[in-house]
């Protein structure tokens, strides 16, 4: 039997991180947890350190790292590190084979790039990292020997439905040459697909986070309710699969059984299906090109009642339209939009703004900050900071 793969799990305490650890529990002979990271969740990290004995545990927050070190005590073999540089260090380490990039938001960019530069196998859940750096991210991938595997269920579904030649050229897939007409990106439409439009002003964070099909972290749950998530995924697909504008279409499929599809020029459509459980795409990315047990139940077609599709309504989901437009506006636009959205979603979750303010703030920031050239990751980080500052200024006006 071959040696177990050594994994660094960025965002180990989150929804994707926890599902990744569940798959490791089911397949302990194949994987070893080398490092786990989080921002400040001391208690969850302590339990994970006791169960998996990773070589390193990183908490970005220094006080949280000190607390974890104290709680683990001298008998623990895990070295506790603090700060953002340590996130990159545990990705680059020579002993690491695979990095699960599952930090939420822009904070995941630098460690994910560190993993790419160090030629790791990178399992990408952190879509914001790719959205905010697009072309530069793909260039770094091309210059490296890293292998990128999409974890986001739609991109994972598309990846599974593509021919091997496309899978091996992520970031620069010759779609047309391979007989591919279009990528069909499916989305459930979230909890407010059929809610009266006038009621959206008053929805609460709890209602927005109550997704009908998927169980996820709070930020992506709100993104699913605004359909900004599909917008971010549209941009993610544009970069992962090197598409032109006429090669991606968003299709609403409320049942979330088809996770996305690839349409070929001969009329064939290849779809990937399954229950809406992230453990399926995570397990696929972890074991590719093999398959392993993910613990997810088989799909029972006799229990499926409806199987429906519709076009997205941009009046209901203005964030989706903003993201698609930003995708063709240029890099500053998607960087600014992503940053604005992180700030506005956090403000909504903190009850500082209304649900419908998210799109309004995102649009204003996009108009003000979403222009200009970005030639380096530093330029991108500068746009990110400016967009966050401007978002905070608008929010201060809205919420006072
Ligand atoms: P969660 O909010 O559940 O978890 C986020 C993780 O990131 C936690 O471990 C958190 O640590 C850590 N984290 C948060 N902020 C920072 C920071 N500033 N620096 C370092 N670490 C940080 O998120 P999800 O698991 O839902 O999502 C993770 C990523 O995967 C997102 O990009 C999301 O879009 C993507 N994704 C998620 C899906 C899902 O089903 N959940 C589906 C497809 C994609 P702490 O616990 O200390 O806060
Ligand atoms: Mg998704």
């Amino acid at each position: 039997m071959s040696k177990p793969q050594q994994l660094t799990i960025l965002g180990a305490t989150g929804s994707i991180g926890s599902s990744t650890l569940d798959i490791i529990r089911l397949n302990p002979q194949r994987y070893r947890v080398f490092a786990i990271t989080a921002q400040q969740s001391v208690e969850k990290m302590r339990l994970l350190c006791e169960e998996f004995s990773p070589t390193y545990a990183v908490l970005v927050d220094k006080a949280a790292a000190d607390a974890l070190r104290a709680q683990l005590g001298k008998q623990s073999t895990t070295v506790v590190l603090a700060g953002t540089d340590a996130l990159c260090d545990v990705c680059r380490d020579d002993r690491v084979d695979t990095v699960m990039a599952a930090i939420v938001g822009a904070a995941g960019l630098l460690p994910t790039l560190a993993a790419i530069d160090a030629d790791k196998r990178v399992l990408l859940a952190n879509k914001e990292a790719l959205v905010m750096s697009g072309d530069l991210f793909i260039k770094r991938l091309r210059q490296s020997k890293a292998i990128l595997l999409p974890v986001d269920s739609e991109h994972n579904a598309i990846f599974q439905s593509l021919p091997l030649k496309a899978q091996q050229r992520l970031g620069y897939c010759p779609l047309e040459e391979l007989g591919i007409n279009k990528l069909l990106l499916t989305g459930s439409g979230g909890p407010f697909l059929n809610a009266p439009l006038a009621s959206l002003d008053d929805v609460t964070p709890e209602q927005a986070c109550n997704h009908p099909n998927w169980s996820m972290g709070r930020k992506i749950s709100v993104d699913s309710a605004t359909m900004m998530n599909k917008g971010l995924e549209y941009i993610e697909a544009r970069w992962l699969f090197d598409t032109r504008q006429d090669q991606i279409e968003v299709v609403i499929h409320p049942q979330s059984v088809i996770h996305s599809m690839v349409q070929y020029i001969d009329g064939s459509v290849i779809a990937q299906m399954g229950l809406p459980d992230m453990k399926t795409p995570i397990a696929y990315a972890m074991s590719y090109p093999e398959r392993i047990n993910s613990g997810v139940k088989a799909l029972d077609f006799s229990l499926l009642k409806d199987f429906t599709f519709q076009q997205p309504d941009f009046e209901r989901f203005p964030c989706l339209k903003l993201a698609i437009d930003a995708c063709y506006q240029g890099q500053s636009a998607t960087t600014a939009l992503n940053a604005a959205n992180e700030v506005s979603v956090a403000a909504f979750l903190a009850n500082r703004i209304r649900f419908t303010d998210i799109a309004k703030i995102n649009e204003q920031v996009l108009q003000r900050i979403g222009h200009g050239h970005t030639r380096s990751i530093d330029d991108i980080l500068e746009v990110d900071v400016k967009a966050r500052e401007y978002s905070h200024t608008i929010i201060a006006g809205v919420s006072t």
Side-chain angles (χ1 to χ4, degrees), residues 167-209:
Q167 293 181 339
Q168 289 169 337
R169 295 188 55 184
L170 221 54
Y172 46 108
C173 300
L175 291 182
E176 207 160 332
E177 235 173 76
L178 295 169
I180 293 154
N181 206 8
K182 209 175 236 188
L183 308 181
L184 300 166
L185 196 64
T186 55
S188 68
F192 306 133
L193 179 62
N194 300 310
L197 274 186
S199 69
L200 297 185
D201 267 342
D202 299 318
V203 303
T204 62
E206 281 55 48
Q207 288 169 321
C209 289

Side-chain angles (χ1 to χ4, degrees), residues 365-383:
V365 177
L366 187 58
Q367 276 171 4
R368 171 80 73 98
I369 313 285
H371 307 275
H373 293 293
T374 48
R375 290 184 193 86
S376 65
I377 295 294
D378 283 345
D379 291 350
I380 291 212
L381 295 175
E382 206 179 305
V383 173

Side-chain angles (χ1 to χ4, degrees), residues 258-272:
I258 292 180
H259 300 308
S260 279
M261 308 178 252
V262 177
Q263 189 173 61
Y264 288 81
I265 48 170
D266 60 1
S268 299
V269 176
I270 301 190
Q272 186 265 351

Side-chain angles (χ1 to χ4, degrees), residues 134-283:
D135 187 36
L136 291 168
F137 187 109
I138 296 300
K139 279 198 183 122
R140 296 273 274 262
L141 178 67
R142 281 185 83 157
Q143 282 160 6
S144 75
K145 293 195 184 69
I147 296 172
L148 188 70
L149 291 154
V151 169
D152 210 350
S153 59
E154 296 74 7
H155 307 74
N156 190 277
I158 290 169
F159 185 90
Q160 295 199 39
S161 308
L162 285 172
L164 183 65
K165 268 193 187 159
Q167 293 181 339
Q168 289 169 337
R169 295 188 55 184
L170 221 54
Y172 46 108
C173 300
L175 291 182
E176 207 160 332
E177 235 173 76
L178 295 169
I180 293 154
N181 206 8
K182 209 175 236 188
L183 308 181
L184 300 166
L185 196 64
T186 55
S188 68
F192 306 133
L193 179 62
N194 300 310
L197 274 186
S199 69
L200 297 185
D201 267 342
D202 299 318
V203 303
T204 62
E206 281 55 48
Q207 288 169 321
C209 289
N210 190 15
H211 196 280
N213 306 336
W214 297 93
S215 154
M216 309 179 282
R218 280 167 77 77
K219 190 257 177 185
I220 184 174
S221 296
V222 177
D223 285 349
S224 299
T226 59
M227 280 198 84
M228 175 56 100
N229 183 49
K230 210 50 53 187
L232 296 175
E233 290 180 355
Y234 184 101
I235 301 165
E236 185 185 9
R238 182 254 176 276
W239 291 115
L240 284 177
F241 306 113
D242 193 16
T243 58
R244 292 190 314 255
Q245 193 159 1
D246 59 324
Q247 290 174 318
I248 328 183
E249 187 179 328
V250 174
V251 180
I252 298 210
H253 166 49
Q255 296 78 24
S256 302
V257 172
I258 292 180
H259 300 308
S260 279
M261 308 178 252
V262 177
Q263 189 173 61
Y264 288 81
I265 48 170
D266 60 1
S268 299
V269 176
I270 301 190
Q272 186 265 351
M273 294 187 240
L275 290 176
D277 189 325
M278 285 306 295
K279 290 197 196 87
T280 299
I282 294 171

